[in-house]
Amino acid sequence: MKTISIIIPAHNEAKNIHPLYEKLEKIFQTLGEKYTHEIIFINDGSTDETGAEIEKLATEDSDIQFIDFSRNFGKEVATTAGLNNCSGDACIMIDADLQHPAELIPKFLEKWEQGFEVVVGVRGKSKNASLLKTIGSKLFYTILNTITESPVIPNSTDFRLLDRVVIDEFNRFTETNRMTRGLIDWLGFRRAYINFEANERLHGDASYGLWKLVRLAMNSFVSLSFVPLKLAGYLGLIITLLSGLSGFYVLVGKYLLHWEFASTFSDSESLAILIIFLVGILLISIGLISLYIANIHIEVIKRPMYVVRKKKLRNS
Ligand code: UDP
Ligand code: MG
């Protein structure tokens, strides 16, 4: 019998806890004897009755475990806590608000049994996503995919199944500034995708307001790519090149060859070009410093150098 850990981050989801629990129980009943399951709720600093609801469930059902955060740490950290503490042969991460259709869990398990180590839920059009959110997410994935090495499938969600190998590898990440999805994609492994239509939120409001989403997007860019860090350097290169060329043109044209157009540049205009040129040099220097910072960053977050699926070595 295989154990499946269900990981549920919850922030102000009091009214959703019980319905989700019942839905999950029903699903695992239909799955029969093949699987046992544990449910791990992470109460991410809720200010409503979420914590009490979870504790009540946990006293009724011994398969329910929970982690109660002292304050709100964000979903990325909440799911990480779940992954750090689950004991299943595989885990499934699912939102507490019933937007992720739990009835697809058997499909996730099927893919897992076929040998896929990561099964990713890909969201179709949200029924009531605002225009701003739709455009925002398009923009986010375009930028992310142009600046990162490991491609991220647009609209792939946190509704995921991970095999035990993947969980163990994930638990080696030590960086605190993280995007769970991005890190899982970074790990690689055999991936399968399952499309789903997001349900509407059962109760309550989405905790991710615009500002929090923007912050998450920035975090993802910064934690998955060095392009933002190198931006100043590239900008400096362009500025230096352009102002250098025009400075050269004015200098030679005005004072040496007495070209007509070059002579129309006044002294203060020439000075402006010189200043812009120096700004370019400054930006290049900042870019150089940021290369060193990038290297420090790489050493500090101590990402595993490589990720192994299986090995057979004489010494192990
Ligand atoms: N969540 C969390 N901590 C937070 C914000 C959200 O654990 O700081 C949980 C939330 O309870 C839900 C999931 O993360 O289970 C997704 O949050 P939400 O529905 O607000 O986001 P969206 O559906 O817009 O992605
Ligand atoms: Mg939601």
Side-chain angles (χ1 to χ4, degrees):
M1 207 145 81
K2 291 169 182 166
T3 306
I4 309 297
S5 308
I6 307 286
I7 295 172
I8 310 171
H11 175 68
N12 293 347
E13 307 278 6
K15 285 187 177 152
N16 296 327
I17 299 294
H18 206 83
L20 178 62
Y21 165 71
E22 281 183 346
K23 207 166 166 188
L24 288 171
E25 287 304 308
K26 231 181 249 160
I27 288 161
F28 275 95
Q29 260 166 29
T30 60
L31 282 169
E33 292 292 286
K34 211 167 156 202
Y35 303 103
T36 51
H37 67 285
E38 60 173 7
I39 299 180
I40 304 180
F41 283 103
I42 300 94
N43 177 22
D44 185 12
S46 300
T47 48
D48 65 355
E49 296 300 299
T50 304
E53 285 287 327
I54 294 172
E55 270 187 63
K56 204 173 81 195
L57 272 186
T59 51
E60 289 164 12
D61 183 340
S62 60
D63 290 336
I64 294 200
Q65 306 170 50
F66 64 84
I67 298 168
D68 195 11
F69 280 176
S70 59
R71 64 169 172 86
N72 180 252
F73 283 92
K75 182 185 183 184
E76 309 306 312
V77 179
T79 42
T80 300
L83 287 167
N84 288 164
N85 290 287
C86 71
S87 61
D89 299 296
C91 77
I92 294 175
M93 308 188 281
I94 187 167
D95 277 4
D97 57 8
L98 289 115
Q99 285 196 293
H100 296 161
E103 52 282 5
L104 288 180
I105 287 177
K107 266 200 185 160
F108 276 71
L109 293 172
E110 217 171 87
K111 289 277 181 204
W112 178 50
E113 300 286 359
Q114 284 168 14
F116 292 101
E117 291 137 332
V118 179
V119 187
V120 182
V122 179
R123 191 185 50 210
K125 270 214 175 76
S126 260
K127 279 169 206 150
N128 56 349
S130 65
L131 187 67
L132 190 69
K133 238 179 171 175
T134 318
I135 296 175
S137 99
K138 260 242 165 69
L139 194 69
F140 169 72
Y141 283 110
T142 319
I143 297 179
L144 193 65
N145 272 328
T146 37
I147 65 176
T148 56
E149 290 152 30
S150 48
V152 181
I153 301 277
N155 297 327
S156 60
T157 62
D158 284 316
F159 186 22
R160 285 172 185 224
L161 177 147
L162 306 183
D163 184 86
R164 174 48 55 187
V165 241
V166 184
I167 300 170
D168 287 342
E169 290 297 333
F170 181 90
N171 289 339
R172 290 167 63 202
F173 287 123
T174 53
E175 59 213 80
T176 40
N177 212 350
R178 55 171 65 203
M179 181 169 99
T180 312
R181 267 178 284 159
L183 291 182
I184 296 169
D185 289 339
W186 184 90
L187 282 173
F189 289 103
R190 283 188 284 266
R191 268 175 268 177
Y193 298 90
I194 290 182
N195 290 307
F196 73 90
E197 294 295 324
N199 299 321
E200 291 192 18
R201 228 169 195 287
L202 191 63
H203 291 287
D205 293 320
S207 312
Y208 277 94
L210 189 64
W211 176 235
K212 227 171 164 182
L213 279 176
V214 170
R215 235 176 31 198
L216 185 67
M218 288 317 249
N219 263 347
S220 321
F221 295 152
V222 170
S223 71
L224 294 172
S225 162
F226 286 124
V227 173
L229 193 61
K230 294 176 182 162
L231 222 53
Y234 291 132
L235 205 64
L237 271 180
I238 296 170
I239 291 178
T240 307
L241 208 73
L242 290 181
S243 57
L245 282 178
S246 37
F248 187 72
Y249 170 80
V250 171
L251 219 61
V252 172
K254 189 172 175 181
Y255 297 107
L256 283 181
L257 303 174
H258 306 292
W259 284 335
E260 202 177 320
F261 180 65
S263 304
T264 60
F265 277 79
S266 68
D267 286 345
S268 55
E269 278 164 349
S270 313
L271 190 65
I273 293 177
L274 180 70
I275 291 174
I276 294 172
F277 179 75
L278 291 178
V279 168
I281 301 271
L282 273 178
L283 283 176
I284 289 180
S285 316
I286 293 176
L288 283 178
I289 294 175
S290 58
L291 287 185
Y292 289 92
I293 295 181
N295 279 341
I296 297 172
H297 179 81
I298 291 172
E299 297 299 332
V300 168
I301 61 177
K302 282 207 189 83
R303 285 253 176 102
M305 249 188 297
Y306 50 82
V307 178
V308 177
R309 174 178 289 122
K310 251 187 220 161
K311 59 185 168 187
K312 175 176 184 289
L313 300 170
R314 198 164 300 141
N315 299 331
S316 68

